[in-house]
């Protein structure tokens, strides 16, 4: 069973109290975008076998959306963080890299971050 | 074998959903004026079933007032919060409240909710919004047990699962 700590409540929420919201940090492309950009926004996903950044909603609790870093194969949770951000916190990236040195995810986790 | 707890449907309570900036001085004054309570911290319930306030989210409180005092309490809130961005809504008739009392109350809720109810993790004065079997609910703990709140449209379901959890089987002994 997956348990994620809601960063707004501090509650250790069970998977059944949560609602999965798909991939985190998607950049929205609107009416002026190119076909490729819009396709990327709508359809192109990381879908990694490894640590993934996801959106979750504490639906049966405070109702807020937050982000989580979770391994899709082991279900290991590396951490959660509020949704009011464009990137995962540096400490969280460091924590992931410590265990998974080769981890990268979109523009995050590379040599520069 | 005796029942683990007694489930009682409580009389109608006045309930107000209050949303806004919980850190503001005006909000503090408003909540004080309406309930005699301070702003609860995360996960905290202050007061009692007649007049109290439950922390629901970083920008939401549930105020408990006497059922026939709701209109007046909302007026007090609206005056205190004038010119700020807030929401105060009477949700009294949208809710049902149950009291869970007895010596096995933690067992009863632990059967229905994915919540750590060990005394080390959850105690008097704490509130939790969660899932009760298949429905959304919130409960807080006081000296005589728990108060459980859910939507009135699913009150019969809540009463059923609570009663069944309270009257069948044995206590686990985990919460002694
Ligand atoms: Zn939450």
């Amino acid at each position: 069973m997956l348990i994620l700590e809601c960063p707004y409540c501090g509650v250790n929420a069970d998977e059944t109290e949560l609602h999965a919201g798909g991939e985190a940090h998607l950049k929205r492309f609107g009416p002026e975008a190119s076909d490729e950009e819009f396709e990327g926004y709508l359809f192109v996903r990381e879908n990694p076998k490894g640590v993934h950044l996801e959106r979750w909603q504490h639906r049966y609790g405070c109702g807020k959306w937050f982000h989580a870093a979770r391994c899709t194969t082991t279900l290991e949770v590396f951490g959660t963080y509020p949704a009011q951000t464009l990137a995962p916190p540096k400490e969280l990236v460091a924590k992931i890299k410590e265990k998974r040195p080769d981890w990268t995810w979109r523009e995050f986790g590379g040599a520069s971050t | 074998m005796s029942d683990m707890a007694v489930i009682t449907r409580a009389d109608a309570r006045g309930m107000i959903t209050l949303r806004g900036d919980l850190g503001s001085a005006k909000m503090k004054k408003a909540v004080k004026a309406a309930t005699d309570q301070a702003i609860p911290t995360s996960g905290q319930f202050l007061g009692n079933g007649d007049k109290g306030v439950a922390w629901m989210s970083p920008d939401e409180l549930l105020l408990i007032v006497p059922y026939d005092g709701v209109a007046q309490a909302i007026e007090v809130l609206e005056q205190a919060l004038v010119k700020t961005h807030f929401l105060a809504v009477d949700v009294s008739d949208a809710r049902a409240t149950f009291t869970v009392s007895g010596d096995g109350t933690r067992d009863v809720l632990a059967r229905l909710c994915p919540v750590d109810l060990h005394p080390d993790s959850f105690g008097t004065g704490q509130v939790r919004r969660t899932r009760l079997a298949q429905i959304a609910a919130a409960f807080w703990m006081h000296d005589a047990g728990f108060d459980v709140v859910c939507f009135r449209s699913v009150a019969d379901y809540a009463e059923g699962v609570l009663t069944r959890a309270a009257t069948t089987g044995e206590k686990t002994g985990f919460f002694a």
Side-chain angles (χ1 to χ4, degrees):
Chain A
M1 185 63 79
L2 181 67
I3 294 173
L4 298 175
E5 183 182 333
C6 172
Y8 304 102
C9 300
V11 156
N12 283 320
D14 177 272
E15 188 175 347
T16 59
E17 300 178 272
L18 302 168
H19 174 69
E23 192 161 312
H25 304 299
L26 291 181
K27 187 178 174 191
R28 185 178 185 279
F29 286 93
E32 305 300 319
S34 68
D35 285 353
E36 287 73 25
E37 285 170 334
F38 199 64
E39 183 200 15
Y41 164 58
L42 277 184
F43 301 115
V44 179
R45 297 293 180 265
E46 285 293 293
N47 194 28
K49 183 180 180 184
V51 182
H52 196 22
L53 303 180
E54 300 172 309
R55 300 169 72 232
W56 288 86
Q57 186 195 18
H58 192 190
R59 177 163 283 181
Y60 281 84
C62 66
K64 306 290 182 201
W65 284 94
F66 61 93
H67 290 159
R70 175 188 72 107
C71 178
T72 58
T73 52
T74 65
L75 289 194
E76 179 176 0
V77 176
F78 288 84
T80 56
Y81 52 103
Q84 288 72 29
T85 179
L86 299 174
K90 277 198 172 68
E91 312 82 64
L92 183 61
V93 173
K95 197 175 161 190
I96 298 168
K97 298 281 279 184
E98 201 183 312
K99 274 203 168 177
R100 315 280 172 93
D102 299 332
W103 181 76
T104 61
W105 194 94
R106 291 190 186 266
E107 67 266 41
F108 311 124
S112 59
T113 49
Chain B
M1 188 192 76
S2 62
D3 292 344
M4 291 194 286
V6 178
I7 311 298
T8 314
R9 183 151 177 181
D11 292 337
R13 291 179 182 180
M15 292 192 199
I16 299 163
T17 287
L18 179 61
R19 302 195 75 150
D21 178 1
L22 301 189
S24 76
K26 275 193 170 181
M27 182 63 86
K28 205 172 156 183
K29 273 189 191 158
V31 171
K32 189 87 186 169
T35 65
D36 298 329
Q37 301 296 332
I39 304 277
T41 57
S42 175
Q44 193 183 30
F45 183 89
L46 296 172
N48 57 43
D50 293 323
K51 247 185 181 185
V53 52
W55 189 92
M56 299 300 266
S57 95
D59 57 6
E60 180 181 345
L61 301 173
L62 180 66
L63 309 190
I64 316 280
V65 296
Y67 185 77
D68 46 18
V70 171
Q72 196 201 341
I74 288 181
E75 214 175 284
V76 165
L77 292 169
E78 284 177 345
Q79 279 170 13
L81 292 167
V82 69
K83 286 185 183 168
T84 66
H85 182 61
F86 78 99
L87 175 99
V89 175
D90 177 5
V91 295
S92 314
D93 295 325
R95 303 287 167 81
T97 309
F98 297 92
T99 59
V100 184
S101 57
D103 61 358
T105 53
R106 289 178 186 272
D107 278 273
V108 170
L109 286 176
R111 284 178 163 194
L112 301 167
C113 305
V115 177
D116 180 0
L117 283 154
H118 192 276
D120 292 347
S121 306
F122 199 91
T124 301
Q126 274 181 273
V127 59
R128 172 77 184 253
R129 287 172 95 169
T130 184
R131 177 178 64 79
L132 180 97
Q134 297 186 48
I135 58 171
F139 57 77
W140 56 88
M141 200 182 165
H142 48 78
D143 293 334
F146 290 87
D147 282 8
V148 180
V149 173
C150 68
F151 287 114
R152 181 186 270 200
S153 57
V154 289
D156 289 348
Y157 174 87
E159 186 162 16
V161 290
L162 283 166
T163 303
R164 184 172 163 77
T167 56
T168 57
E170 303 283 344
K171 282 197 283 183
T172 58
F174 292 154
F175 308 115

